[in-house]
Amino acid sequence: MSRVIHVFRKPDRFVAGTVGEPGDRTFYLQASEDVRTISVTIEKQQVVVLAERLGSLLEEVASRFGADVPADVPDDQLDVAPLTVPVEEEFRVGTMGLGWDADSSAVVIELLAITEGEVDETVVLDDTEEGPDAVRVFLTPVAARAFAERADRVVNAGRKPCPLCGEPLDATGHICPRQNGYRRDVDVAED
């Protein structure tokens, strides 16, 4: 069966978001253009890496190609709305690709479905017939910066870290390794 590549050349929206309570959240990336919306499931750490790499790519694009890359996102460009419902998973993200399209002055993000075997890196950002399904999104530098900023906010909206060990605190506290296994209550950790 040949692969399906969902291409969003001028997305109305491309955001990271979650469903669920802190400590039990599922992370999604969602792209929308006109009446079409695609949601893919992604790991929290993948969201962190994507946001960091986007920032690095934007800096390199500004220095190497002289592209107009904003340092900050204007408030009216930052998407703070929840994910569009219903959130229906198209696939789980395995491999991610990131690039710069000089012709359209756009950042290109490609998200490939997780597969059982190794993914040949030549299928990333390519239109080959064989390979995992993919979502390919083209973003302006402003939209890419806005995506990265929202992604950071989404990731950091989870559970507070323990001030001693840095592990996430549950609503009921947690057993802190720095306390030799004694339970720390949330009240104590908020000092």
Side-chain angles (χ1 to χ4, degrees):
M1 186 168 171
S2 64
R3 72 194 289 215
V4 176
I5 303 174
H6 304 276
V7 179
F8 294 84
R9 291 212 175 268
K10 295 183 187 242
D12 302 318
R13 187 172 196 226
F14 181 62
V15 295
T18 62
V19 173
E21 294 297 317
D24 192 29
R25 300 186 296 171
T26 302
F27 285 77
Y28 291 93
L29 295 183
Q30 193 173 71
S32 300
E33 188 172 27
D34 297 326
V35 296
R36 180 173 60 129
T37 298
I38 298 286
S39 302
V40 293
T41 307
I42 189 166
E43 295 295 324
K44 177 180 179 179
Q45 194 57 38
Q46 288 175 299
V47 175
V48 170
V49 168
L50 182 57
E52 288 173 357
R53 298 276 166 87
L54 266 173
S56 299
L57 177 69
L58 289 171
E59 299 308 317
E60 185 168 334
V61 162
S63 66
R64 281 182 70 188
F65 301 107
D68 184 23
V69 176
D72 296 313
V73 180
D75 288 339
D76 64 331
Q77 295 289 317
L78 192 58
D79 187 338
V80 295
L83 294 172
T84 303
V85 292
V87 179
E88 297 174 351
E89 175 187 304
E90 187 71 21
F91 58 79
R92 179 171 290 280
V93 175
T95 304
M96 300 183 294
L98 194 57
W100 174 253
D101 181 23
D103 294 337
S104 62
S105 295
V107 172
V108 184
I109 299 171
E110 185 160 286
L111 309 162
L112 281 76
I114 197 164
T115 59
E116 290 182 18
E118 288 287 319
V119 174
D120 183 0
E121 63 186 45
T122 61
V123 303
V124 179
L125 299 173
D126 195 7
D127 292 331
T128 60
E129 289 291 318
E130 296 301 317
D133 289 352
V135 171
R136 187 176 301 151
V137 181
F138 291 74
L139 298 175
T140 65
V142 172
R145 183 76 76 196
F147 170 86
E149 188 170 319
R150 176 182 168 128
D152 285 340
R153 289 181 183 189
V154 167
V155 167
N156 292 321
R159 298 174 287 172
K160 293 179 184 177
C162 172
L164 296 175
C165 70
E167 293 295 317
L169 287 170
D170 292 325
T172 59
H174 83 134
I175 298 174
C176 182
R178 300 276 312 268
Q179 292 290 312
N180 292 326
Y182 289 101
R183 179 175 284 291
R184 284 189 60 81
D185 292 327
V186 175
D187 299 317
V188 175
E190 291 182 1
D191 289 341

